[in-house]
Amino acid sequence: MSMKQYEFWFVVGSQFLYGPEVLETVARRAAEMADWMNQSGKLPCKVVYKVTAKTQQEIADVVREANYQPVCAGIITWCHTFSPSKMWINGFVDLQKPYCHFATQYNREIPNEEIDMDFMNLNQAAHGDREHGFIAARLRMPRKVIAGYWQDEKVLRQLGDWMRAAVGVAFSRQLKVMRFGDNMREVAVTEGDKVEVQAKLGWQVNTWPVGTLVETMNAVTDVEIDELMNLYRASYDFATDDLETVRYQAREEIAMKKMLDKEGCMAFSNTFQDLYGMKQLPGLASQHLMALGYGYGGEGDWKVAAMTAILKAMSEGQTGGTAFMEDYTYHLVEGQEYSLGAHMLEVCPSVAAEKPRIEVHPLGIGDREPPARLVFEGHAGKAIVVSLIDMGGRLRLICQDIECVKPIMDMPNLPVARVMWRAMPDLTTGLTCWITAGGAHHTVLSYDVTAEQMRDWARMMDIEFVHITKDTTVEGLEHDLFLSDLAWKLK
Ligand code: MN
């Protein structure tokens, strides 16, 4: 399902105390608020007003329906008044969808002349929200609290960002990952417990033979390759005359896409150590599949493949870009400390500053023919890098704020796509923190998804979240990790 197809159900908390007229007014206002927010164009998904709930049964019913309907990606509650919270307990205990407590009220202002007890009865969120907040705290519910006036830009942005994170949850819970070959031999950080990941995050991670991919490649027709070559020509500059090599990448892409689509997989991994029967490591092929929204991980890294797909799903329709990335090398000149990110081949062109070039160069590792790949520079701007690691018994999501820059040198002999950035709080402190937390060399780099969205996603998924920011210190992080380790062992 695409972003626009998802709905968030707007559930109003109330009670019978103030009579039917108040309830009718509130129901009308809630529908009006939902319409207005939808028409604002600021939200990625639709808000659907469902019910003004006065009883435990109404709440249990709407929760049951929300759990059941795939189109519902979460519920948003608003308490215009005091909605006694014991009637919410049974529904909340059963809720399986993301939940946002929207602390707002219909009126922006307190009307000096008109305010009377009728006005007060309609606008009692100030204490209704506290009763509502208590029960979610008491039940230890994963939730997002958004407070402010429902027409304010900042509030709508927060709500929209949370919706995208919740869509990331829905996407994750049905994500299938196709592995071609195993993880790179002896590598630890790309490993993980696939059973735990499926139980926690929903991912189905399975393997398919490289031989089946080769058979599928052999069945690809020249007409299919011609069509994809036309698409490459429309999207990229050809900086090579070796069209046969580019056509071979097209053949690989078409075959991989056929297998992914047949199984409903939105992410895949492969490894240069298992390309039996293939002439080239997929480069351009994997890059273009990522541009289409598929997640990818190199060297069998199915965790980063899945995370790339999830961040792409969360940022659908946004234009900053999201890519599989690897920390490659450093520039350690004082005052100019930068990381250079790249990969053997496979960086997604969605992050490119200019039109990518198709080039053909030999590959330093492996024993295959020189592959075609897209070469470009990443653009400048604020971004995050994200790494999911398996700590044994739990998953930890590490997120670092970064500032991407136009690469400070041309690097004319570097035959791969590259992105240069300044890690927060600075290269060496940020690096110390990253290593202390156990973050991988593979990451997802995104200009669109924010750290707050990843925090929301991790909370909804009930996994550990570590954020390295401009204010992070090594001492502070070590302290947090120590406490977090204790807490997660108790959970
Ligand atoms: Mn790698």
Side-chain angles (χ1 to χ4, degrees):
M1 272 199 326
S2 71
M3 181 75 63
K4 278 192 165 56
Q5 291 171 287
Y6 282 106
E7 295 177 356
F8 287 81
W9 290 2
F10 195 37
V11 177
V12 182
S14 191
Q15 60 171 315
F16 288 115
L17 200 60
Y18 306 106
E21 206 177 313
V22 164
L23 292 171
E24 281 160 26
T25 305
V26 167
R28 196 170 60 243
R29 287 178 172 185
E32 180 195 329
M33 289 161 75
D35 284 347
W36 191 94
M37 289 190 284
N38 289 330
Q39 278 160 26
S40 75
K42 301 265 165 44
L43 300 179
C45 310
K46 197 173 172 191
V47 179
V48 178
Y49 166 65
K50 278 286 164 182
V51 64
T52 297
K54 291 87 56 190
T55 65
Q56 170 169 303
Q57 193 58 50
E58 284 175 314
I59 294 162
D61 286 348
V62 76
V63 165
R64 191 179 302 115
E65 192 64 14
N67 287 342
Y68 179 71
Q69 293 293 346
V71 76
C72 174
I75 67 162
I76 300 166
T77 61
W78 168 52
C79 289
H80 84 96
T81 184
F82 204 87
S83 179
S85 282
K86 285 205 235 171
M87 73 185 185
W88 287 79
I89 292 173
N90 296 44
F92 272 170
V93 165
D94 288 340
L95 182 64
Q96 295 164 356
K97 295 286 172 84
Y99 155 51
C100 171
H101 177 165
F102 192 17
T104 190
Q105 67 179 17
Y106 179 78
N107 278 64
R108 186 194 289 274
E109 296 175 23
I110 294 173
N112 181 41
E113 294 293 328
E114 293 94 69
I115 188 166
D116 55 14
M117 281 321 287
D118 287 341
F119 179 92
M120 296 282 263
N121 291 340
L122 279 166
N123 293 281
Q124 313 186 52
H127 67 280
D129 277 328
R130 284 161 169 79
E131 166 74 355
H132 196 61
F134 164 73
I135 201 62
R138 172 71 176 78
L139 295 172
R140 275 76 170 170
M141 289 178 67
R143 62 185 160 149
K144 180 75 174 179
V145 181
I146 296 176
Y149 192 59
W150 52 283
Q151 291 185 358
D152 283 352
E153 186 115 353
K154 185 183 163 214
V155 169
L156 289 166
R157 197 185 62 241
Q158 283 182 297
L159 194 57
D161 284 354
W162 173 79
M163 284 177 163
R164 287 180 174 278
V167 167
V169 170
F171 182 88
S172 179
R173 286 188 174 145
Q174 58 197 2
L175 178 59
K176 296 181 182 176
V177 183
M178 182 170 282
R179 302 172 70 222
F180 295 113
D182 205 341
N183 296 54
M184 182 179 165
R185 285 187 285 274
E186 306 293 351
V187 176
V189 76
T190 62
E191 290 285 358
D193 181 339
K194 296 195 273 298
V195 173
E196 176 68 11
V197 159
Q198 185 160 355
K200 210 79 189 176
L201 309 176
W203 306 350
Q204 297 174 62
V205 183
N206 289 297
T207 188
W208 273 263
V210 177
T212 305
L213 176 58
V214 172
E215 278 175 18
T216 313
M217 282 167 52
N218 290 340
V220 172
T221 66
D222 282 342
V223 174
E224 289 173 302
I225 294 175
D226 290 344
E227 271 178 31
L228 187 53
M229 288 290 283
N230 286 337
L231 188 55
Y232 289 164
R233 277 197 194 86
S235 313
Y236 311 124
D237 286 333
F238 275 61
T240 177
D241 297 326
D242 186 355
L243 293 187
E244 278 315 302
T245 294
V246 181
R247 289 180 71 85
Y248 193 80
Q249 289 284 329
R251 181 182 295 279
E252 291 179 326
E253 174 177 340
I254 293 161
M256 288 193 288
K257 187 169 188 304
K258 281 181 180 173
M259 288 184 65
L260 290 163
D261 292 350
K262 185 178 170 217
E263 299 294 339
C265 295
M266 276 309 292
F268 69 104
S269 65
N270 59 14
T271 167
F272 69 94
Q273 289 175 332
D274 190 354
L275 298 173
Y276 193 87
M278 297 168 75
K279 290 183 192 166
Q280 298 175 30
L281 176 66
L284 168 61
S286 296
Q287 290 174 296
H288 191 247
L289 282 171
M290 276 188 275
L292 297 176
Y294 296 90
Y296 171 78
E299 293 89 60
D301 191 343
W302 48 268
K303 295 201 301 300
V304 81
M307 290 308 301
T308 304
I310 289 167
L311 271 75
K312 280 180 174 289
M314 284 168 63
S315 58
E316 187 189 305
Q318 296 181 297
T319 54
T322 295
F324 165 61
M325 187 54 64
E326 178 171 291
D327 290 77
Y328 232 106
T329 195
Y330 300 125
H331 191 61
L332 288 167
V333 175
E334 200 175 344
Q336 283 194 330
E337 285 108 339
Y338 294 108
S339 296
L340 183 67
H343 205 254
M344 278 190 295
L345 302 172
E346 313 92 338
V347 174
C348 176
S350 66
V351 301
E354 77 276 12
K355 198 172 187 182
R357 300 180 306 281
I358 298 179
E359 300 184 11
V360 176
H361 301 278
L363 200 59
I365 58 172
D367 54 356
R368 303 288 131 169
E369 294 176 7
R373 80 289 303 272
L374 295 170
V375 180
F376 55 86
E377 284 183 352
H379 66 85
K382 284 192 188 313
I384 56 169
V385 283
V386 170
S387 169
L388 181 75
I389 58 169
D390 187 329
M391 290 294 288
R394 75 172 186 279
L395 298 162
R396 171 182 285 170
L397 188 71
I398 304 160
C399 177
Q400 183 168 36
D401 297 334
I402 63 171
E403 175 89 40
C404 296
V405 298
K406 178 175 171 51
I408 60 170
M409 60 278 279
D410 289 344
M411 300 173 275
N413 292 310
L414 184 67
V416 290
R418 73 293 302 265
V419 181
M420 190 172 267
W421 66 81
R422 203 162 52 82
M424 298 296 139
D426 58 74
L427 193 152
T428 50
T429 310
L431 169 60
T432 306
C433 290
W434 188 268
I435 289 173
T436 302
H441 58 302
H442 286 163
T443 59
V444 187
L445 185 153
S446 180
Y447 295 85
D448 293 321
V449 178
T450 65
E452 184 174 351
Q453 286 177 298
M454 292 319 298
R455 180 189 300 278
D456 289 343
W457 185 84
R459 186 188 295 124
M460 292 185 256
M461 287 301 189
D462 191 27
I463 64 170
E464 185 186 0
F465 182 75
V466 175
H467 187 194
I468 303 167
T469 73
K470 66 178 174 43
D471 300 319
T472 303
T473 63
V474 177
E475 295 84 347
L477 184 83
E478 281 179 348
H479 181 71
D480 289 348
L481 291 175
F482 172 74
L483 293 179
S484 177
D485 211 33
L486 293 177
W488 281 90
K489 277 172 187 157
L490 292 171
K491 265 188 97 147

